[in-house]
Amino acid sequence: MSILILGGAGYIGSHAVHQLIDQGEQVVVIDNLETGHRAALHPQANFYEGDIRDIEFLRSVFAKESIEAIIHFAANSLVGESMEKPLKYFDNNVYGTQVLLQAMVEAEVKYIIFSSTAATYGEPQDVPIKETAPTDPTNTYGETKLTMEKMMKWTEKAHGIKYVSLRYFNVAGAKESSEIGEDHRPESHLVPIILQTALGQREFITIFGEDYNTSDGTCVRDYVHVEDLIDAHILAIKYLKSGGDSDVFNLGSNKGFSVREMINTARKTTGKVIPAKIGERRIGDSSTLIASSEKAKRILGWDPKKTSISKIFEDAWNWHSSHPLGYGRKDFS
Ligand code: UFG
């Protein structure tokens, strides 16, 4: 039996593929390569290039492969873009998941681990944020992920497909071996932008606002190491296979770091100056997002060992400095 990774050529999906193969699992990958990289694919995974909105394509993969569980990373995930192109996000994320669930019902695949987000909560009333907090997304991306979670809830009632939804806070870092890492085009995430500045590929990093109600005025986020994040997915599969109920878990570190603290840590790790300038606030940014991950630790037995910002920068720097063009990109805008 195999585990099917949807979006296995993307940043987080490729780490899942590598970690599962490292643990001796059979892995099948589906990716449409819209944002994923062919070079991030693992040679031992059975790769099918195609789109999850194409039911005939999904049927053909399920007919060829014996799939036990699915980890679903195949979605668009840029908050800013989701506000400009909401229908693209409903089409790829929500409709794509609808087609996927239909194909799972037909093929009698019983387990799905779902890549969700802190953006389902919107502006938090209390931090750290627990899974019981109200969900009121402030952007289309978060709304689509919340809708996908609800779709799974009702599909389970009718068809018995069990799910675990993992709400990520800020995922960063790279595989310790630096074979794979983060490469978005265009890049919008803080850690790679800081390290591209350290490499001299950007003149400076713009800090989006210093007038937030935080200790130094810059936004505070909760950063989790990508390899720890994937461990939680693997534990979630085991949890469902051993009879666990469908559920939702936050994945974070229970600690918050400001943008300035992140830049200062990167300066220490890399030994580079990393020039920074203050800019305007970015539309849609919350001031502080910190997870309570107590539930994932208690129920899944999650034990994030690599999640500290110094380890995140160490591994991300190994990737960026050994792959200055990422998976081959020339344009860093
Ligand atoms: N930031 C800067 N300058 C930059 C880039 C980012 O100051 O050049 C700041 C942002 O304002 C934010 C922090 O760094 O305060 C982190 O920004 P990211 O873009 O790296 O991450 P976000 O917190 O915006 O988004 C992440 C995920 C999303 C997810 C969201 C949930 O990347 O997919 O968390 O809230 F939806």
Side-chain angles (χ1 to χ4, degrees):
M1 296 290 271
S2 301
I3 296 170
L4 171 62
I5 313 285
L6 307 175
Y11 166 47
I12 302 175
S14 62
H15 283 79
V17 174
H18 274 249
Q19 265 164 259
L20 284 162
I21 289 175
D22 288 350
Q23 294 186 13
E25 298 285 349
Q26 302 279 337
V27 175
V28 176
V29 170
I30 285 179
D31 200 299
N32 65 6
L33 298 180
E34 185 190 300
T35 54
H37 304 277
R38 197 175 285 280
L41 290 166
H42 194 294
Q44 282 172 43
N46 278 359
F47 173 55
Y48 295 87
E49 184 175 346
D51 198 296
I52 61 165
R53 288 165 290 190
D54 180 349
I55 188 115
E56 290 306 333
F57 166 68
L58 290 183
R59 283 179 181 142
S60 71
V61 176
F62 285 129
K64 279 186 222 130
E65 302 283 352
S66 172
I67 305 295
E68 184 179 29
I70 293 178
I71 312 185
H72 180 15
F73 299 103
N76 292 114
S77 61
L78 300 176
V79 170
E81 185 190 50
S82 80
M83 299 301 282
E84 284 158 24
K85 298 177 183 166
L87 300 179
K88 171 180 173 175
Y89 277 67
F90 278 96
D91 179 37
N92 193 25
N93 296 3
V94 177
Y95 176 63
T97 301
Q98 181 187 328
V99 174
L100 168 68
L101 290 169
Q102 177 63 40
M104 286 178 70
V105 170
E106 290 175 15
E108 298 182 0
V109 179
K110 290 290 177 209
Y111 306 121
I112 179 165
I113 311 301
F114 177 63
S115 162
S116 190
T117 169
T120 52
Y121 294 110
E123 193 62 51
Q125 287 161 10
D126 297 301
V127 283
I129 303 171
K130 290 191 180 150
E131 292 82 353
T132 47
T135 46
D136 186 12
T138 53
N139 54 64
T140 314
Y141 167 64
E143 189 73 46
T144 62
K145 289 275 174 164
L146 189 59
T147 308
M148 293 149 88
E149 286 187 357
K150 288 180 179 168
M151 209 186 277
M152 287 186 291
K153 180 179 101 178
W154 296 106
T155 306
E156 179 191 2
K157 288 189 196 300
H159 302 288
I161 294 175
K162 297 263 185 200
Y163 67 91
V164 163
S165 180
L166 299 172
R167 291 181 177 160
Y168 312 160
F169 283 64
N170 288 61
V171 188
K175 190 168 160 69
E176 229 168 24
S177 63
S178 73
E179 288 158 86
I180 51 171
E182 192 166 7
D183 179 0
H184 299 106
R185 306 173 188 200
E187 192 53 78
S188 65
H189 293 84
L190 181 67
V191 169
I193 287 178
I194 291 175
L195 295 178
Q196 288 170 357
T197 312
L199 284 169
Q201 291 166 347
R202 295 171 187 264
E203 239 179 280
F204 57 87
I205 169 157
T206 304
I207 297 174
F208 296 143
E210 60 167 353
D211 57 351
Y212 286 95
N213 185 21
T214 59
S215 58
D216 65 17
T218 67
C219 287
V220 169
R221 293 287 181 275
D222 180 342
Y223 295 86
V224 56
H225 193 294
V226 64
E227 291 200 286
D228 283 338
L229 184 97
I230 299 306
D231 284 345
H233 293 67
I234 297 171
L235 289 166
I237 294 177
K238 290 185 183 142
Y239 162 82
L240 287 183
K241 278 170 65 179
S242 60
D245 289 331
S246 296
D247 212 338
V248 175
F249 299 92
N250 288 340
L251 298 179
S253 73
N254 295 54
K255 291 192 194 83
F257 296 93
S258 72
V259 175
R260 273 193 223 278
E261 284 175 299
M262 294 297 281
I263 296 170
N264 285 335
T265 304
R267 286 176 178 144
K268 282 186 206 130
T269 305
T270 63
K272 306 282 182 185
V273 179
I274 314 184
K277 289 189 183 173
I278 305 299
E280 297 291 309
R281 285 185 177 201
R282 188 172 66 177
I283 295 168
D285 271 346
S286 302
S287 94
T288 302
L289 289 173
I290 302 172
S292 163
S293 297
E294 185 274 329
K295 185 177 170 188
K297 290 178 182 165
R298 181 166 42 86
I299 296 179
L300 299 179
W302 188 45
D303 179 20
K305 291 200 168 68
K306 296 179 180 170
T307 292
S308 69
I309 55 168
S310 53
K311 176 68 176 157
I312 283 171
F313 272 114
E314 198 184 300
D315 290 343
W317 181 236
N318 280 341
W319 156 256
H320 283 279
S321 51
S322 60
H323 299 78
L325 296 179
Y327 290 108
R329 173 178 54 172
K330 294 188 178 69
D331 161 21
F332 294 94
S333 59

Coordinates of all heavy atoms in Angstrom, one line a residue, residues 184-249:
H184 N 9.8 29.7 -3.7 CA 8.5 30.2 -4.3 C 8.9 31.2 -5.4 O 9.8 31.9 -5.2 CB 7.6 30.8 -3.2 CG 7.3 29.9 -2.1 ND1 7.8 29.9 -0.9 CD2 6.4 28.8 -2.1 CE1 7.3 29.0 -0.1 NE2 6.5 28.3 -0.8
R185 N 8.0 31.3 -6.4 CA 8.2 32.2 -7.4 C 6.9 33.0 -7.7 O 6.0 32.4 -8.3 CB 8.6 31.5 -8.7 CG 9.8 30.7 -8.5 CD 10.1 29.9 -9.7 NE 11.2 28.9 -9.5 CZ 11.9 28.3 -10.4 NH1 11.7 28.6 -11.6 NH2 12.8 27.4 -10.1
P186 N 6.8 34.3 -7.4 CA 7.8 35.1 -6.7 C 7.8 34.7 -5.2 O 6.8 34.2 -4.7 CB 7.2 36.5 -6.9 CG 5.8 36.3 -7.1 CD 5.6 35.0 -7.7
E187 N 8.9 35.0 -4.5 CA 9.0 34.7 -3.1 C 8.3 35.8 -2.3 O 8.4 37.0 -2.6 CB 10.5 34.7 -2.7 CG 10.7 34.1 -1.3 CD 10.1 32.7 -1.1 OE1 10.6 31.7 -1.6 OE2 9.0 32.7 -0.5
S188 N 7.5 35.4 -1.3 CA 6.8 36.3 -0.4 C 7.1 36.0 1.0 O 6.7 36.8 1.9 CB 5.3 36.4 -0.7 OG 4.8 35.1 -0.3
H189 N 7.7 34.9 1.3 CA 7.9 34.5 2.7 C 9.1 35.1 3.4 O 10.2 35.2 2.7 CB 7.9 33.0 2.8 CG 6.6 32.3 2.4 ND1 6.3 32.1 1.1 CD2 5.6 31.9 3.2 CE1 5.1 31.5 1.1 NE2 4.6 31.4 2.3
L190 N 9.0 35.4 4.7 CA 10.0 36.1 5.4 C 11.4 35.4 5.4 O 12.4 36.1 5.1 CB 9.5 36.4 6.8 CG 10.5 37.2 7.7 CD1 10.6 38.6 7.2 CD2 10.1 37.2 9.2
V191 N 11.4 34.2 5.8 CA 12.8 33.5 6.0 C 13.6 33.5 4.6 O 14.7 33.9 4.6 CB 12.6 32.1 6.6 CG1 13.9 31.4 6.6 CG2 12.2 32.3 8.1
P192 N 13.0 33.0 3.5 CA 13.8 33.1 2.3 C 14.1 34.5 1.8 O 15.2 34.7 1.3 CB 12.9 32.4 1.2 CG 11.6 32.1 1.9 CD 11.7 32.3 3.4
I193 N 13.3 35.4 2.1 CA 13.6 36.8 1.7 C 14.8 37.3 2.5 O 15.7 37.9 2.0 CB 12.3 37.7 1.8 CG1 11.4 37.4 0.6 CG2 12.7 39.2 1.7 CD1 10.1 38.2 0.6
I194 N 14.8 37.0 3.8 CA 15.9 37.5 4.6 C 17.2 36.8 4.1 O 18.2 37.5 4.0 CB 15.7 37.0 6.1 CG1 14.6 37.8 6.7 CG2 17.0 37.2 6.9 CD1 14.2 37.4 8.2
L195 N 17.1 35.5 3.7 CA 18.4 34.8 3.3 C 18.8 35.2 1.9 O 20.0 35.2 1.6 CB 18.2 33.3 3.5 CG 18.0 32.9 5.0 CD1 17.8 31.4 5.1 CD2 19.2 33.4 5.8
Q196 N 17.8 35.6 1.0 CA 18.2 36.1 -0.3 C 18.9 37.4 -0.1 O 19.8 37.8 -0.9 CB 17.0 36.2 -1.2 CG 16.5 34.9 -1.7 CD 15.1 34.9 -2.4 OE1 14.5 36.0 -2.5 NE2 14.7 33.8 -2.9
T197 N 18.5 38.2 0.9 CA 19.2 39.5 1.2 C 20.6 39.2 1.7 O 21.6 39.8 1.3 CB 18.4 40.3 2.2 OG1 17.0 40.3 1.8 CG2 18.9 41.7 2.3
A198 N 20.7 38.2 2.6 CA 22.1 37.8 3.1 C 23.0 37.4 1.9 O 24.2 37.6 2.0 CB 21.9 36.6 4.1
L199 N 22.4 36.7 0.9 CA 23.2 36.3 -0.3 C 23.5 37.5 -1.2 O 24.2 37.3 -2.2 CB 22.5 35.2 -1.1 CG 22.5 33.8 -0.4 CD1 21.5 32.9 -1.2 CD2 23.9 33.2 -0.5
G200 N 23.0 38.6 -1.0 CA 23.2 39.8 -1.8 C 22.3 39.8 -3.1 O 22.5 40.6 -4.0
Q201 N 21.3 38.9 -3.1 CA 20.4 38.9 -4.2 C 19.3 40.0 -4.1 O 18.6 40.3 -5.1 CB 19.7 37.5 -4.3 CG 20.7 36.4 -4.7 CD 20.2 35.0 -4.4 OE1 19.2 34.8 -3.7 NE2 20.9 34.0 -5.0
R202 N 19.1 40.5 -2.9 CA 18.3 41.6 -2.7 C 19.1 42.7 -2.0 O 19.9 42.3 -1.1 CB 17.0 41.3 -1.9 CG 16.1 40.3 -2.5 CD 15.1 39.8 -1.5 NE 14.3 38.7 -2.0 CZ 13.1 38.9 -2.6 NH1 12.5 40.1 -2.6 NH2 12.4 37.9 -3.1
E203 N 18.9 43.9 -2.3 CA 19.7 45.0 -1.6 C 19.3 45.1 -0.1 O 20.2 45.4 0.7 CB 19.3 46.3 -2.3 CG 20.4 47.1 -2.9 CD 19.9 48.3 -3.5 OE1 19.3 48.3 -4.7 OE2 20.0 49.4 -2.9
F204 N 18.0 44.9 0.2 CA 17.6 45.0 1.6 C 16.3 44.3 1.7 O 15.6 44.0 0.7 CB 17.4 46.5 2.0 CG 16.4 47.3 1.1 CD1 15.1 47.3 1.3 CD2 16.9 48.0 0.0 CE1 14.2 47.9 0.5 CE2 16.0 48.7 -0.9 CZ 14.7 48.7 -0.6
I205 N 15.9 44.1 3.0 CA 14.6 43.5 3.2 C 13.7 44.6 3.7 O 14.1 45.5 4.5 CB 14.6 42.3 4.2 CG1 13.1 42.0 4.6 CG2 15.4 42.5 5.4 CD1 12.9 40.6 5.1
T206 N 12.4 44.7 3.3 CA 11.5 45.7 3.8 C 10.7 45.0 5.0 O 10.1 44.0 4.8 CB 10.5 46.1 2.7 OG1 11.2 46.6 1.6 CG2 9.5 47.2 3.2
I207 N 10.7 45.7 6.1 CA 9.9 45.3 7.3 C 8.6 45.9 7.1 O 8.4 47.1 7.0 CB 10.6 45.7 8.6 CG1 12.0 45.0 8.7 CG2 9.7 45.4 9.8 CD1 12.8 45.5 10.0
F208 N 7.5 45.1 7.0 CA 6.2 45.6 6.7 C 5.5 46.1 8.0 O 4.7 45.4 8.6 CB 5.3 44.5 6.1 CG 5.8 44.0 4.7 CD1 5.7 42.7 4.4 CD2 6.3 44.9 3.8 CE1 6.1 42.2 3.1 CE2 6.8 44.4 2.6 CZ 6.6 43.1 2.2
G209 N 5.9 47.3 8.4 CA 5.3 48.0 9.5 C 6.0 47.9 10.8 O 6.5 46.8 11.1
E210 N 6.1 49.0 11.5 CA 6.8 48.9 12.9 C 5.9 49.6 13.9 O 6.4 50.1 14.9 CB 8.2 49.5 12.9 CG 8.3 50.9 12.5 CD 9.6 51.6 12.8 OE1 10.5 50.9 13.4 OE2 9.8 52.7 12.3
D211 N 4.6 49.7 13.6 CA 3.7 50.3 14.5 C 2.6 49.4 15.0 O 1.5 49.8 15.3 CB 3.0 51.6 13.8 CG 2.3 51.2 12.5 OD1 2.4 50.0 12.1 OD2 1.6 52.1 12.0
Y212 N 2.9 48.1 15.0 CA 2.0 47.1 15.6 C 2.1 47.1 17.1 O 3.1 47.5 17.7 CB 2.3 45.7 15.1 CG 1.9 45.5 13.6 CD1 2.8 45.7 12.6 CD2 0.6 45.1 13.3 CE1 2.4 45.5 11.3 CE2 0.2 45.0 12.0 CZ 1.1 45.1 11.0 OH 0.7 44.9 9.7
N213 N 1.1 46.6 17.8 CA 1.1 46.5 19.2 C 1.8 45.3 19.7 O 1.3 44.4 20.3 CB -0.4 46.5 19.7 CG -0.5 46.6 21.2 OD1 0.5 47.0 21.9 ND2 -1.6 46.1 21.8
T214 N 3.2 45.3 19.5 CA 4.0 44.2 19.8 C 5.3 44.8 20.5 O 5.4 46.0 20.5 CB 4.5 43.4 18.6 OG1 5.2 44.3 17.7 CG2 3.3 42.8 17.9
S215 N 6.1 44.0 21.1 CA 7.3 44.5 21.9 C 8.1 45.5 21.1 O 8.6 46.5 21.6 CB 8.1 43.3 22.4 OG 8.6 42.6 21.3
D216 N 8.4 45.2 19.8 CA 9.3 46.1 19.0 C 8.5 46.8 17.9 O 9.1 47.4 17.0 CB 10.6 45.4 18.6 CG 10.3 44.3 17.6 OD1 9.2 44.2 17.0 OD2 11.2 43.5 17.4
G217 N 7.2 46.6 17.8 CA 6.4 47.2 16.8 C 6.2 46.4 15.5 O 5.4 46.8 14.7
T218 N 7.0 45.4 15.4 CA 6.9 44.6 14.1 C 6.1 43.3 14.4 O 5.9 42.9 15.6 CB 8.3 44.2 13.6 OG1 9.0 43.3 14.5 CG2 9.1 45.4 13.4
C219 N 5.5 42.7 13.3 CA 4.6 41.6 13.5 C 5.3 40.4 14.2 O 6.4 40.1 13.9 CB 4.1 41.1 12.1 SG 2.9 42.2 11.4
V220 N 4.5 39.7 15.0 CA 5.0 38.5 15.7 C 4.3 37.2 15.1 O 3.1 37.2 14.9 CB 4.7 38.6 17.2 CG1 4.9 37.3 17.9 CG2 5.5 39.7 17.8
R221 N 5.2 36.2 14.8 CA 4.7 35.0 14.2 C 5.3 33.8 14.9 O 6.3 33.9 15.6 CB 5.1 34.9 12.7 CG 4.4 35.9 11.8 CD 2.9 35.5 11.6 NE 2.2 36.5 10.7 CZ 1.7 37.6 11.1 NH1 1.8 38.0 12.4 NH2 1.0 38.4 10.3
D222 N 4.7 32.6 14.7 CA 5.1 31.4 15.4 C 5.7 30.5 14.3 O 5.0 30.1 13.4 CB 3.9 30.8 16.0 CG 4.2 29.5 16.7 OD1 5.2 28.8 16.5 OD2 3.3 29.1 17.5
Y223 N 7.0 30.2 14.3 CA 7.7 29.5 13.2 C 8.0 28.1 13.6 O 8.5 27.8 14.7 CB 9.0 30.2 12.9 CG 8.8 31.6 12.4 CD1 8.6 32.7 13.2 CD2 8.7 31.8 11.0 CE1 8.4 34.0 12.7 CE2 8.4 33.1 10.5 CZ 8.2 34.2 11.4 OH 7.9 35.4 10.9
V224 N 7.6 27.2 12.7 CA 7.8 25.7 12.9 C 8.7 25.2 11.9 O 8.5 25.5 10.7 CB 6.4 25.0 13.0 CG1 5.5 25.2 11.8 CG2 6.5 23.5 13.3
H225 N 9.6 24.3 12.3 CA 10.5 23.7 11.3 C 9.8 22.7 10.4 O 9.0 21.9 10.9 CB 11.7 23.0 12.1 CG 12.8 22.6 11.2 ND1 12.8 21.7 10.2 CD2 14.1 23.1 11.2 CE1 13.9 21.6 9.6 NE2 14.8 22.4 10.2
V226 N 10.0 22.8 9.1 CA 9.3 22.0 8.1 C 9.4 20.5 8.4 O 8.5 19.7 8.2 CB 9.7 22.4 6.7 CG1 11.2 22.0 6.4 CG2 8.8 21.7 5.7
E227 N 10.6 20.0 8.9 CA 10.7 18.6 9.2 C 9.9 18.2 10.4 O 9.3 17.1 10.4 CB 12.2 18.2 9.4 CG 13.0 18.3 8.1 CD 14.3 17.6 8.1 OE1 15.2 18.0 8.8 OE2 14.3 16.5 7.5
D228 N 9.8 19.0 11.4 CA 8.9 18.7 12.5 C 7.4 18.7 12.0 O 6.6 17.9 12.5 CB 9.0 19.8 13.6 CG 10.3 19.6 14.5 OD1 10.8 18.5 14.5 OD2 10.7 20.6 15.1
L229 N 7.1 19.7 11.2 CA 5.7 19.8 10.6 C 5.3 18.4 10.0 O 4.3 17.9 10.2 CB 5.7 20.9 9.7 CG 4.3 21.2 9.1 CD1 3.6 22.3 9.9 CD2 4.3 21.6 7.6
I230 N 6.3 17.9 9.1 CA 6.0 16.6 8.4 C 5.8 15.5 9.4 O 5.0 14.6 9.2 CB 7.0 16.4 7.4 CG1 7.1 17.5 6.3 CG2 6.8 15.0 6.7 CD1 5.8 17.8 5.7
D231 N 6.6 15.5 10.5 CA 6.5 14.4 11.5 C 5.0 14.4 12.0 O 4.5 13.3 12.2 CB 7.4 14.7 12.7 CG 8.8 14.4 12.4 OD1 9.1 13.7 11.4 OD2 9.7 14.8 13.2
A232 N 4.4 15.5 12.2 CA 3.0 15.5 12.6 C 2.1 14.9 11.6 O 1.1 14.2 12.0 CB 2.6 17.0 12.9
H233 N 2.4 15.0 10.3 CA 1.5 14.4 9.3 C 1.7 12.9 9.4 O 0.7 12.1 9.2 CB 2.0 14.8 7.9 CG 1.7 16.3 7.6 ND1 2.3 17.3 8.3 CD2 0.8 16.9 6.8 CE1 1.9 18.5 7.9 NE2 0.9 18.2 7.0
I234 N 2.9 12.4 9.6 CA 3.1 11.0 9.7 C 2.5 10.4 10.9 O 1.8 9.3 10.9 CB 4.7 10.7 9.6 CG1 5.2 11.2 8.2 CG2 5.0 9.2 9.8 CD1 6.7 11.2 8.1
L235 N 2.5 11.1 12.0 CA 1.8 10.7 13.2 C 0.3 10.7 13.0 O -0.4 9.8 13.6 CB 2.2 11.6 14.4 CG 3.6 11.5 14.9 CD1 4.0 12.7 15.8 CD2 3.8 10.2 15.7
A236 N -0.2 11.7 12.2 CA -1.6 11.8 12.0 C -2.1 10.6 11.2 O -3.2 10.1 11.4 CB -1.9 13.1 11.3
I237 N -1.3 10.1 10.3 CA -1.7 8.9 9.5 C -1.8 7.7 10.5 O -2.8 6.9 10.5 CB -0.7 8.5 8.4 CG1 -0.7 9.6 7.3 CG2 -1.0 7.2 7.8 CD1 0.3 9.4 6.2
K238 N -0.8 7.6 11.3 CA -0.8 6.4 12.3 C -2.0 6.5 13.2 O -2.7 5.5 13.6 CB 0.5 6.5 13.2 CG 1.7 6.1 12.3 CD 3.0 6.0 13.2 CE 4.2 5.7 12.3 NZ 5.4 6.4 12.7
Y239 N -2.3 7.8 13.6 CA -3.5 8.0 14.5 C -4.8 7.6 13.9 O -5.6 6.9 14.5 CB -3.5 9.5 14.9 CG -4.8 10.1 15.4 CD1 -5.1 10.0 16.8 CD2 -5.6 10.8 14.6 CE1 -6.3 10.5 17.2 CE2 -6.8 11.3 15.1 CZ -7.1 11.2 16.4 OH -8.3 11.7 16.9
L240 N -5.0 7.9 12.6 CA -6.2 7.5 11.9 C -6.3 6.0 11.7 O -7.3 5.4 12.0 CB -6.4 8.2 10.6 CG -6.7 9.7 10.6 CD1 -6.9 10.3 9.2 CD2 -8.0 10.0 11.5
K241 N -5.1 5.4 11.3 CA -5.1 4.0 11.1 C -5.3 3.2 12.3 O -5.8 2.1 12.3 CB -3.7 3.6 10.5 CG -3.7 3.9 8.9 CD -2.3 3.7 8.4 CE -1.7 2.3 8.4 NZ -0.4 2.3 7.8
S242 N -5.0 3.8 13.5 CA -5.2 3.0 14.7 C -6.6 3.4 15.3 O -6.8 3.1 16.5 CB -4.1 3.3 15.7 OG -4.0 4.6 16.0
G243 N -7.5 4.0 14.5 CA -8.8 4.2 15.0 C -9.2 5.6 15.5 O -10.3 5.7 16.0
G244 N -8.2 6.5 15.4 CA -8.5 7.9 15.9 C -9.6 8.5 15.2 O -9.8 8.3 14.0
D245 N -10.4 9.4 15.9 CA -11.5 10.2 15.2 C -10.9 11.3 14.4 O -9.9 11.9 14.7 CB -12.4 10.8 16.3 CG -13.2 9.7 17.0 OD1 -13.5 8.7 16.4 OD2 -13.5 9.9 18.2
S246 N -11.7 11.7 13.4 CA -11.3 12.9 12.6 C -11.2 14.1 13.6 O -11.9 14.3 14.5 CB -12.4 13.2 11.6 OG -12.4 12.1 10.7
D247 N -10.2 15.0 13.3 CA -9.9 16.1 14.2 C -9.1 17.1 13.6 O -8.5 17.0 12.5 CB -9.3 15.5 15.5 CG -9.7 16.3 16.7 OD1 -10.1 17.5 16.6 OD2 -9.5 15.8 17.8
V248 N -9.0 18.3 14.3 CA -8.2 19.4 13.8 C -7.1 19.7 14.8 O -7.4 19.7 16.1 CB -9.1 20.6 13.7 CG1 -8.4 21.9 13.4 CG2 -10.2 20.4 12.7
F249 N -5.9 20.0 14.4 CA -4.8 20.3 15.3 C -4.0 21.5 14.8 O -3.7 21.6 13.6 CB -3.8 19.1 15.3 CG -4.4 17.8 15.8 CD1 -4.9 16.9 14.9 CD2 -4.5 17.5 17.2 CE1 -5.5 15.7 15.4 CE2 -5.0 16.3 17.6 CZ -5.6 15.4 16.7

